[in-house]
């Protein structure tokens, strides 16, 4: 039951916002009593923390699933963006922005985990791109990872309107790729931009 509550709460928080969803809403959606809900979670804060961790794990699994499909490094980044756009498209406003505003301690804890996960993901992508000849061999991987990470997360933390995020993310991805790409990489980037419609 606890897992079922966590999944449903994560879905509601993502789509309707961390502030607006109440414990009553979650109980009603699951057709359970508030007493049952409070048996598993002592308060909303505990449920937000657990469901945020669940969303983090889902994001990690999606990235792993895509990286295992054998796309080239540039296409891989666009495929990840596409999946996340679909995953977050029903959100009323940026989930990370809301988490930062209403649950700063949970946000900080989540961001520490995200830094490790996404930095590793970006690093692997850059190493792969260099091997494939899409990225330059002289790039400072650690620095480029920090730049890209900082830009992506500043969008999510500072943009309230969720519908603006995909376009901004695409601009950051273009900026990042152009900064590290070879001629071959730039050709692949243009190809992906034509295929990837917002």
């Amino acid at each position: 039951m606890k897992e079922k509550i966590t999944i449903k709460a994560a879905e509601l928080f993502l789509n309707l916002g961390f502030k607006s969803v109440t414990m009553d809403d979650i109980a009603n959606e699951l057709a359970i009593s508030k007493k049952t809900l409070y048996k598993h979670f002592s308060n909303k804060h505990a449920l937000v923390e657990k469901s945020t961790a669940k969303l983090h794990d889902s994001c990690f699994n999606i990235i792993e699933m895509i990286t295992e499909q054998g796309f080239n490094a540039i296409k891989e980044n666009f495929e990840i963006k596409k999946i996340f756009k679909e995953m977050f498209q029903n959100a009323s406003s940026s989930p990370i922005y809301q988490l930062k505003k209403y649950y700063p301690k949970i946000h900080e804890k989540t961001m520490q985990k995200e830094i490790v996960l996404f930095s590793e993901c970006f690093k692997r992508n850059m190493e792969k791109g260099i091997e494939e000849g899409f990225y330059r061999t002289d790039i400072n991987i650690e620095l480029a990872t920090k730049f890209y990470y900082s830009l992506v997360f500043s969008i999510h933390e500072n943009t309230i309107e969720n519908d603006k995020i995909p376009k901004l993310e695409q601009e950051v991805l273009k900026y990042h790729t152009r900064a590290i790409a070879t001629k071959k990489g730039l050709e692949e980037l243009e190809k992906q931009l034509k295929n990837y419609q917002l």
Side-chain angles (χ1 to χ4, degrees), residues 106-157:
I106 297 174
H107 170 268
E108 195 181 325
K109 196 174 165 185
T110 304
M111 285 300 103
Q112 284 168 357
K113 285 188 350 191
E114 299 285 290
I115 287 167
V116 174
L117 165 65
F118 285 98
S119 295
E120 187 54 41
C121 169
F122 297 152
K123 188 180 166 200
R124 278 197 324 236
N125 179 270
M126 278 189 253
E127 287 167 349
K128 181 181 184 178
I130 290 168
E131 275 178 40
E132 295 169 335
F134 289 116
Y135 302 151
R136 298 191 326 272
T137 54
D138 65 338
I139 55 172
N140 182 325
I141 293 177
E142 197 174 322
L143 206 54
T145 297
K146 281 181 182 169
F147 286 158
Y148 186 39
Y149 172 86
S150 299
L151 286 169
V152 169
F153 280 91
S154 71
I155 286 170
H156 285 273
E157 291 192 341

Side-chain angles (χ1 to χ4, degrees), residues 5 9 12-13 21-30 37 47:
I5 293 167
L12 291 171
F13 290 141
V21 175
T22 64
M23 294 296 264
D24 278 322
D25 295 331
I26 295 160
N28 290 338
E29 278 286 322
L30 288 161
L37 185 56
L47 186 49

Side-chain angles (χ1 to χ4, degrees), residues 74 133-135 177 181-190:
I74 293 174
F134 289 116
Y135 302 151
T177 308
T182 58
K183 187 172 180 290
K184 179 184 170 185
L186 291 172
E187 286 166 6
E188 180 62 23
L189 173 63
E190 291 308 319

Side-chain angles (χ1 to χ4, degrees), residues 28 51 83 93 96 117 157 166:
N28 290 338
S51 57
I83 294 282
S93 65
I96 295 174
L117 165 65
E157 291 192 341

